[in-house]
Amino acid sequence: MLFDRGDEVTVQAGEQGIRFLLVSGKPIGEPVAWYGPIVMNTQEELQHAYAELQQGTFLGSRRRR
């Protein structure tokens, strides 16, 4: 969810309860390129990140053998 202005959030859980994380911050005014779970500043950076994800090198991770 993306909220605009306001100071109140109402959550109602079902019988089994609920767990969620609420994070707040000020906009930093940078461009956003977003696809799935990855957010970058440009489409080029986003494509590079997905290539690294497929190669197993995204964020310095290694593929498990």
Side-chain angles (χ1 to χ4, degrees):
M1 285 185 256
L2 179 61
F3 297 102
D4 192 6
R5 304 208 187 297
D7 59 1
E8 185 176 309
V9 175
T10 303
V11 177
Q12 182 174 349
E15 291 181 14
Q16 295 184 2
I18 188 172
R19 292 176 61 177
F20 71 96
L21 174 66
L22 177 64
V23 178
S24 177
K26 293 182 180 182
I28 58 175
E30 291 188 11
V32 174
W34 171 36
Y35 185 78
I38 300 177
V39 179
M40 303 300 278
N41 291 117
T42 67
Q43 287 294 323
E44 183 178 276
E45 290 175 337
L46 190 59
Q47 291 171 353
H48 183 80
Y50 267 94
E52 288 182 343
L53 184 63
Q54 290 176 344
Q55 296 167 6
T57 59
F58 183 64
L59 298 177
S61 64
R62 296 183 186 160
R63 281 196 173 163
R64 293 186 178 146
R65 296 178 189 194

